[in-house]
Amino acid sequence: MRNKIRRIGVLTSGGDAPGMNAAIRAVTRTAISNGIRVMGILKGYRGLIDGEIIEYDARAVSNIMNRGGTVLYSDRCDEFKTDAGMRKARNTCEEYEIDGIVAIGGDGTFRGAADLSRLGIPTVGVPGTIDNDITASDYSIGFDTAKNTVVEMVDRLRDTSESHARCSVVEVMGRHAGHIALQTGIAVGAIGIAINEVCFDADECIERIKESRKNRKRNFIIIVAEGMGDNYAENLSNQINAATSRDVDSRFARLAHVQRGGSPTLQDRVAATIMGNRAVGLLIEGRKNLVVCSRGDKIIELDIEYALNLDKRYKNKLPDEQFAELSESDQKSMTEIIERKKAEIKKLYEIAKIVSI
Ligand code: ADP
């Protein structure tokens, strides 16, 4: 049977990301085009517990594509993680006759999606997080916009750094991944990029700054990923001042939440549209407990448990004993993906360093 689904719910949860609205629009219109009614669930999983749900027609999602944030709002809902919370969520789905859900967010959101699938509500995840820290997907919605926002901000800092011959140490988002830092570091011509994935030698970086200053370089930019730790960037800036006796006047800047906002770029709008469309297609095919992923130039779907285990393994949170319990083919494919991703980061980092003299 092609279509047993009559109503689907859509929600956004966890950290918001530009492009989530384009995904909501794609989900809504793909469903409606297939004769399925759409329920917009407000404030992530909180809306499933409190029954904050509104029906969306095709026009309800007009003129949201260009807006940052999420029109469905987001929330972090700990109650949803409890048995009682889950029961409430399931009852709400029954009450509203929701027989499939598209959950847009990060790995926390996918954990919730896996729980919902287990409770009998078919759920499909769509990766939406500016950090691009979902290992299963090469790309997540919001990443491109956030990177471009960082580049625009740092370009402005560079103008004033050049005038005053300063160094700017800029902390960017990415608690669990240095993708924003690495790519923006390259794009702004940073002299140093501090991320956890590659060993960053602060003393060596400061020596290069001193050398370049002798070579008449006036402004310096260092990009630091948030995941390097609290105050890392600020301390590094102080270290530069001390090591150069303020010959290089260094200032610290944290870009913080401006990185989350703004009108999504073309890439985020297109990725969100394709992924949202695929998520509904999977539910129509009667499939569940999946996450839509980009792999190279393709869109694929992976089992959510597989995706979460892969993520844990990549972040060194899946011990060897647990990894060994997975099927041999899963172990093999996960190892290949992790090695490829690590090699790509290393290669980019090396290029960044070569051109940062
Ligand atoms: P993200 O999806 O961006 O990773 P969070 O980790 O905050 O953001 O997760 C978003 C929401 O997903 C949480 O507030 C919670 O409602 C739900 N969630 C997170 N972890 C779990 C879990 N282990 N089980 C069930 N739901 C979860």
Side-chain angles (χ1 to χ4, degrees):
M1 264 302 281
R2 189 172 166 269
N3 185 4
K4 277 195 244 154
I5 299 236
R6 285 152 306 163
R7 279 191 189 192
I8 64 161
V10 55
L11 61 84
T12 50
S13 147
D16 66 333
M20 281 184 162
N21 286 329
I24 294 166
R25 172 179 177 273
V27 167
T28 302
R29 293 196 173 162
T30 305
I32 289 171
S33 299
N34 282 279
I36 298 169
R37 289 170 70 183
V38 179
M39 300 290 137
I41 300 159
L42 300 177
K43 304 178 194 163
Y45 293 114
R46 160 79 36 217
L48 272 185
I49 289 177
D50 296 345
E52 282 197 75
I53 293 173
I54 42 172
E55 181 153 8
Y56 269 5
D57 63 13
R59 290 285 74 72
V61 290
S62 292
N63 303 317
I64 65 169
M65 174 93 107
N66 50 317
R67 285 164 56 188
T70 158
V71 293
L72 287 173
Y73 310 130
S74 189
D75 201 359
R76 306 212 191 246
C77 175
D78 286 335
E79 190 183 348
F80 181 73
K81 297 182 193 170
T82 64
D83 286 344
M86 291 272 168
R87 269 198 305 278
K88 278 192 203 166
R90 190 180 53 194
N91 291 344
T92 305
C93 289
E94 281 168 10
E95 188 188 328
Y96 282 84
E97 297 177 336
I98 292 172
D99 35 26
I101 287 184
V102 177
I104 306 161
D107 56 355
T109 301
F110 298 159
R111 253 178 262 280
D115 288 339
L116 276 179
S117 289
R118 238 190 326 273
L119 287 176
I121 301 140
T123 304
V124 173
V126 169
T129 152
I130 62 165
D131 296 346
N132 203 29
D133 61 348
I134 297 164
T135 312
S137 187
D138 287 348
Y139 191 77
S140 72
I141 297 163
F143 182 43
D144 190 58
T145 308
K147 283 185 295 185
N148 279 291
T149 303
V150 169
V151 168
E152 191 190 327
M153 295 293 165
V154 177
D155 280 350
R156 287 165 195 243
L157 276 174
R158 178 192 289 283
D159 290 344
T160 165
S161 292
E162 176 70 11
S163 304
H164 293 273
R166 279 185 192 138
C167 174
S168 289
V169 182
V170 185
E171 184 195 278
V172 301
M173 280 190 168
R175 201 165 294 155
H176 304 294
H179 300 295
I180 294 180
L182 178 54
Q183 293 205 8
T184 61
I186 290 172
V188 300
I191 191 145
I193 301 171
I195 57 176
N196 277 320
E197 289 89 334
V198 181
C199 180
F200 174 70
D201 184 342
D203 293 332
E204 183 271 345
C205 183
I206 293 170
E207 281 313 306
R208 275 188 298 120
I209 288 174
K210 285 188 190 166
E211 276 307 303
S212 298
R213 174 51 57 91
K214 279 190 215 146
N215 257 332
R216 302 178 318 279
K217 185 169 168 62
R218 284 180 65 79
N219 80 72
F220 301 95
I221 307 282
I222 299 178
I223 304 287
V224 177
E226 187 187 2
M228 289 298 287
D230 289 346
N231 304 326
Y232 185 91
E234 203 167 357
N235 291 339
L236 179 60
S237 182
N238 292 336
Q239 215 181 318
I240 293 165
N241 282 325
T244 63
S245 308
R246 283 204 175 261
D247 174 44
V248 177
D249 179 15
S250 182
R251 307 281 170 106
F252 157 71
R254 178 179 288 129
L255 298 187
H257 286 82
V258 290
Q259 293 164 90
R260 286 198 181 281
S263 181
T265 59
L266 175 144
Q267 188 177 347
D268 278 328
R269 296 180 198 199
V270 173
T273 301
I274 294 171
M275 287 179 166
N277 169 269
R278 173 68 75 97
V280 175
L282 291 169
L283 288 174
I284 291 172
E285 285 169 21
R287 302 182 64 197
K288 62 175 181 176
N289 202 32
L290 296 167
V291 52
V292 176
C293 297
S294 83
R295 177 73 53 80
D297 57 1
K298 291 198 181 64
I299 297 292
I300 59 167
E301 59 274 352
L302 293 172
D303 178 80
I304 292 186
E305 301 297 346
Y306 175 96
L308 291 174
N309 278 329
L310 170 62
D311 208 50
K312 276 199 203 158
R313 186 70 181 168
Y314 181 81
K315 292 168 185 160
N316 295 323
K317 289 181 189 159
L318 188 71
D320 286 344
E321 314 85 71
Q322 285 177 33
F323 185 66
E325 284 168 17
L326 304 175
S327 74
E328 262 184 42
S329 70
D330 281 1
Q331 289 182 39
K332 186 166 174 281
S333 61
M334 283 184 190
T335 304
E336 278 168 12
I337 291 167
I338 290 167
E339 280 175 3
R340 169 179 63 83
K341 291 212 156 195
K342 290 193 170 165
E344 279 169 9
I345 289 175
K346 211 165 155 247
K347 195 169 162 203
L348 259 187
Y349 196 88
E350 278 163 12
I351 294 170
K353 206 151 175 215
I354 288 167
V355 298
S356 71
I357 46 172

